[in-house]
Amino acid sequence: MTLLFAVALIFVGGCLAGGVTVSLLFRNSRRVRSFISKRTNEREAAAAAVQLRLAGGPHFVAVGGGTGLSSLLKGLKGYTRNIVALVTVTDEGGSSGRLVRDWGMLPPGDIRNCLVALSENDDQLRAFMNFRFGQGDLKGHSLGNLILLAATEQSGDFKNAVELVNSLLAIRGRVLPITTENVTLVAETNDGTTLRGELAVAERGRDIRRIRLEPSGVKPVREAFSVLHHADMVILGPGSLFTSVIPNLLVEDFTAALRTSKRPVVYVANLMTQPGETSGMTQLNHVQWVAKALGRYPDAVVLNEDVIPEPLREKYHAQGAEPLSLGRQDEEFLISNGCQVFRASLLQIQESGVVRHHSARLAEALMRINRKLNDGYEL
């Protein structure tokens, strides 16, 4: 006799001995169903309240690419679902680069990461979408990139494909490529060398004197203008300066609209320099490049105020990267050019020893800054 069967016999025997009637059992069953129904209704009401709060949140336009933008989106979605991510399309490495070369599609990698970041269950979806095949013709390709390829082939247009995946994943917000045209990042260095492609630019960013997109006159997606019109705040970065943030600002019509817009533009500064791309550059240099591409200084810059532990600093130093900070004189220069400076505790040290922006704290800081810039309240 199993333990479960013995317990059942004892329970039934006890009920009969106590004169418990079948009607009482049914009545208890109705109470259980009522209790479950009540708890279910409470959960549904709580979920509806959350969705209502998110629907009433501020309207943010986040501009950039790479891991920095996806980290930002992951934090913002806890405060609002009115988010539009405009993502760079100059990536030419890894799976994305192979799909660009073999299929002529726009690079899907950064788009994929942003879609995952805005999804309801991003941890589970990330493992699924980022799964990489280990052999055969698909070796090195991520499943998410292939899904976007299939959607592009089905719809005949990359933007339509991204919109389709937006809908399928029911994300909190919207992800769009900044343009649907095939573009190449091109830069000229101080010694007159021409650098073509994101990978070449990333190797010699500190030597750059001019940067552009080819072909010239690239048009943004038409939705870019409407989302700017409805935005409460536009956020640039965080992300690689020359290969994630600035490429979006090289789409001239979009930047012209952003420059004349009355919406505050906030630049989220990087935590560290990047070997090759921004080696030897100061925080002020980063902001000045953004200002050069934008045609004016951003309305505000957000800086990390946490100190990176010395062992980690030494590790990054050996790789050619240094922490970024803003001196008092440089801060006064930015303020004199209409750029407010905000500092917050933004540092997150991952288990692998990599420093990243803390998604939740960055989002919280941006919510405060949004109220400051739009409502004028004191931080």
Side-chain angles (χ1 to χ4, degrees):
M1 180 186 296
T2 65
L3 178 60
L4 180 59
F5 185 57
V7 171
L9 285 178
I10 293 171
F11 174 75
V12 172
C15 289
L16 293 175
V20 178
T21 64
V22 174
S23 63
L24 179 59
L25 292 177
F26 279 127
R27 188 161 63 249
N28 287 338
S29 177
R30 287 196 298 271
R31 289 174 179 171
V32 170
R33 289 199 301 271
S34 176
F35 174 77
I36 293 174
S37 178
K38 181 179 179 181
R39 294 297 298 271
T40 300
N41 290 339
E42 288 175 351
R43 287 195 297 269
E44 291 176 350
V50 169
Q51 293 303 320
L52 184 62
R53 174 179 62 81
L54 294 174
H59 290 248
F60 291 131
V61 174
V63 182
T67 57
L69 181 59
S70 57
S71 177
L72 166 68
L73 298 176
K74 184 175 181 179
L76 284 181
K77 73 178 182 184
Y79 292 92
T80 179
R81 64 182 306 113
N82 301 314
I83 306 168
V84 177
L86 295 174
V87 186
T88 182
V89 290
T90 56
D91 185 11
E92 60 176 11
S95 171
S96 289
R98 289 170 58 191
L99 293 176
V100 170
R101 292 188 295 273
D102 295 344
W103 290 84
M105 71 179 298
L106 293 176
D110 288 349
I111 295 280
R112 181 195 78 238
N113 289 332
C114 291
L115 288 167
V116 171
L118 287 175
S119 67
E120 294 284 349
N121 299 305
D122 56 281
D123 289 335
Q124 295 178 3
L125 185 64
R126 181 176 293 107
F128 179 73
M129 296 284 278
N130 290 352
F131 171 80
R132 290 190 182 272
F133 295 89
Q135 60 186 7
D137 293 339
L138 297 181
K139 184 177 181 179
H141 282 303
S142 72
L143 181 59
N145 285 357
L146 296 181
I147 289 173
L148 284 165
L149 170 61
T152 302
E153 289 293 296
Q154 182 183 48
S155 66
D157 179 83
F158 184 69
K159 185 181 76 67
N160 290 341
V162 175
E163 293 274 47
L164 174 61
V165 179
N166 272 291
S167 176
L168 290 174
L169 297 181
I171 64 174
R172 294 184 185 177
R174 192 179 182 191
V175 178
L176 292 169
I178 186 67
T179 181
T180 56
E181 299 182 39
N182 287 297
V183 295
T184 301
L185 194 61
V186 179
E188 297 175 12
T189 65
N190 292 318
D191 63 7
T193 302
T194 298
L195 307 174
R196 299 185 62 84
E198 185 183 69
L199 297 179
V201 170
E203 291 177 355
R204 294 189 59 186
R206 62 180 175 177
D207 298 326
I208 290 174
R209 67 179 180 186
R210 187 178 297 110
I211 189 167
R212 67 183 188 277
L213 292 179
E214 286 187 354
S216 60
V218 173
K219 299 298 181 183
V221 294
R222 64 178 184 276
E223 292 87 350
F225 301 107
S226 61
V227 299
L228 281 182
H229 178 74
H230 292 98
D232 292 303
M233 189 166 77
V234 179
I235 305 166
L236 307 178
S240 301
L241 179 64
F242 292 112
T243 55
S244 290
V245 178
I246 285 182
N248 298 285
L249 300 178
L250 299 177
V251 180
E252 296 175 0
D253 287 354
F254 171 72
T255 305
L258 183 57
R259 186 165 51 246
T260 58
S261 171
K262 296 181 179 179
R263 313 302 176 187
V265 178
V266 176
Y267 172 55
V268 180
N270 290 342
L271 302 171
M272 310 283 295
T273 61
Q274 288 184 260
E277 183 160 345
T278 57
S279 297
M281 291 178 61
T282 67
Q283 193 70 270
L284 179 61
N285 294 150
H286 281 68
V287 182
Q288 287 176 320
W289 264 106
V290 170
K292 182 178 180 180
L294 180 60
R296 67 174 178 88
Y297 278 86
D299 298 284
V301 59
V302 187
L303 307 174
N304 168 57
E305 65 180 3
D306 294 330
V307 177
I308 298 175
E310 188 60 32
L312 201 53
R313 290 174 62 121
E314 293 177 359
K315 173 186 172 182
Y316 269 94
H317 176 75
Q319 299 171 357
E322 303 292 343
L324 283 166
S325 60
L326 190 70
R328 184 173 180 178
Q329 186 173 355
D330 289 346
E331 180 173 346
E332 291 175 351
F333 174 82
L334 289 179
I335 293 173
S336 69
N337 281 278
C339 179
Q340 299 186 56
V341 177
F342 299 97
R343 289 179 170 83
S345 173
L346 302 177
L347 180 66
Q348 180 182 40
I349 302 175
Q350 299 182 339
E351 292 183 2
S352 59
V354 175
V355 299
R356 291 283 186 264
H357 283 87
H358 192 288
S359 298
R361 292 203 295 267
L362 175 57
E364 181 183 358
L366 288 168
M367 289 292 291
R368 293 199 305 268
I369 292 168
N370 177 61
R371 290 193 294 270
K372 166 69 175 177
L373 296 179
N374 284 295
D375 300 334
Y377 95 110
E378 293 297 327
L379 288 174

